[in-house]
Amino acid sequence: MPNQALGFDPTRKLITTFGTLGLAVHPEDWEIDLDLHSRVAEALTDGACDVHSAGDVAATCMDDRLRPPGQDPFRPNVGGGGFGLLYAARAVTPAYDRETLTAENFFSIMADNGLPVYAHIDEDHARGVATGCAFNDKIALCGGTLPKVFEETLRFFGYNDSDDTMAKVAELSQRVEAVTRVNDDNHCDAFGEDPNARLAAVENAGGVVGFYGGPHLGIGADISFRQDYTLSRDLLFEDLGSHMFHVDAWSYRPTAEALVSILPKSKVQKRAGTKDEEIIWQMVTGMFLNSFAALAALNPPSSLLVIRS
């Protein structure tokens, strides 16, 4: 199986905008600063705002906002932090036993095995409105964007849907969409958990719950395959006065390997003789789809999109 999500390692940098993939709506007075876009893209591709990562397992939430001073652990980023990992594991087939993948059990298994467990809250949560994590609060919206995300991702990277690997990705995107659906009446997912229950599971496992202040002000998103480095939001803001969403796609494979090594295989997985590598590939791709789907829901068409190797 290929090493990275979607079956490839990027061979070139890609600087563009979200275009039809961008689904968010900004106020009418939103102004695009093309000069800033250009300067930020150049800084990102040069690695000017990168710092060494404090690990290789994705944990923290991708976000555009600054954390309070001293609270950035420089962990690799994934869509929704721990929630993105949870839903990637739930999308695997043959499936894990249901009890393994309750949020409570999943995060406890991670914590018991020394893996970082992370989520975030913001002002809305303090007011009792939402948890603060867009991926957690709007998981159905993110999952619902997947058909469009898949189509546009192929276009970005020059693939077509007749490729065998892409057919497998399309099937996986449908499973991710299915596990992220929620009940309209009680806002619970298929495991009977709502956003607050998932957040409580992180807290009960002894995980880190970070705080983000202020509104989203990011001019776009950075998806990095640069091994062992992550983006310093502080450097980006100090040097360019800018905020960006950031995804450490390079970390998805070591993250999946770590999860597969600690999650007990289900009876059906054992009977099917499912290989670890098959599950790892599905998780890696699920994480990538989760991240891209969340970014699509958070960014308007004019947002900058930088993909770099």
Side-chain angles (χ1 to χ4, degrees):
M1 283 291 184
N3 286 333
Q4 287 291 359
L6 303 184
F8 67 94
D9 290 294
T11 57
R12 62 185 179 89
K13 301 179 181 71
L14 179 66
I15 302 172
T16 183
T17 57
F18 270 79
T20 55
L21 181 61
L23 303 176
V25 177
H26 276 301
E28 292 182 2
D29 62 353
W30 176 263
E31 293 184 5
I32 305 168
D33 186 338
L34 294 179
D35 181 60
L36 179 61
H37 274 204
S38 177
R39 287 185 284 117
V40 170
E42 182 178 356
L44 291 174
T45 54
D46 288 346
C49 301
D50 283 354
V51 293
H52 279 284
S53 171
D56 62 356
V57 174
T60 59
C61 305
M62 63 181 199
D63 205 280
D64 60 323
R65 296 170 294 181
L66 293 174
R67 297 185 177 104
Q71 288 193 14
D72 195 334
F74 293 120
R75 293 280 188 185
N77 292 255
V78 64
F83 306 128
L85 307 184
L86 173 65
Y87 280 99
R90 286 180 176 179
V92 166
T93 184
Y96 285 98
D97 290 326
R98 184 179 176 86
E99 59 267 26
T100 298
L101 295 183
T102 64
E104 196 80 31
N105 286 344
F106 181 81
F107 293 129
S108 292
I109 291 171
M110 287 184 65
D112 289 346
N113 285 274
L115 297 184
V117 179
Y118 188 98
H120 81 259
I121 57 174
D122 63 20
E123 288 100 334
D124 281 346
H125 182 64
R127 293 193 293 266
V129 177
T131 68
C133 177
F135 189 89
N136 190 27
D137 294 331
K138 302 176 182 177
I139 188 67
L141 172 62
C142 295
T145 68
L146 277 173
K148 185 68 173 177
V149 167
F150 177 65
E151 174 187 333
E152 290 299 305
T153 303
L154 294 185
R155 182 180 66 80
F156 279 136
F157 293 105
Y159 277 89
N160 61 73
D161 57 12
S162 64
D163 181 277
D164 288 343
T165 299
M166 294 303 103
K168 291 181 64 176
V169 177
E171 179 184 350
L172 182 60
S173 71
Q174 293 173 356
R175 293 202 302 276
V176 174
E177 183 182 7
V179 299
T180 54
R181 290 184 192 137
V182 299
N183 185 297
D184 290 336
D185 295 327
N186 60 17
H187 307 293
C188 289
D189 59 27
F191 281 68
E193 298 165 351
D194 66 10
N196 285 308
R198 291 188 290 269
L199 180 63
V202 171
E203 296 172 322
N204 293 340
V208 174
V209 178
F211 176 83
Y212 292 114
H216 290 297
L217 298 169
I219 64 169
D222 168 45
I223 300 177
S224 175
F225 289 83
R226 191 180 180 212
Q227 191 81 26
D228 298 325
Y229 286 86
T230 190
L231 178 71
S232 167
R233 293 173 175 84
D234 288 336
L235 280 178
L236 182 66
F237 186 71
E238 290 169 8
D239 292 351
L240 291 160
S242 181
H243 298 256
M244 288 284 286
F245 292 98
H246 172 73
V247 176
D248 286 308
W250 65 267
S251 71
Y252 289 4
R253 183 172 179 86
T255 300
E257 290 173 340
L259 290 177
V260 170
S261 71
I262 63 173
L263 293 176
K265 281 189 176 178
S266 65
K267 292 179 180 178
V268 66
Q269 288 172 339
K270 292 175 180 177
R271 285 198 302 268
T274 307
K275 303 295 185 184
D276 285 355
E277 184 59 34
E278 181 180 344
I279 299 177
I280 289 168
W281 183 86
Q282 291 183 68
M283 280 194 186
V284 170
T285 306
M287 291 174 204
F288 192 92
L289 291 169
N290 284 343
S291 297
F292 231 137
L295 290 172
L298 290 166
N299 282 279
S302 59
S303 291
L304 178 67
L305 174 61
V306 179
I307 299 172
R308 56 194 172 110
S309 54

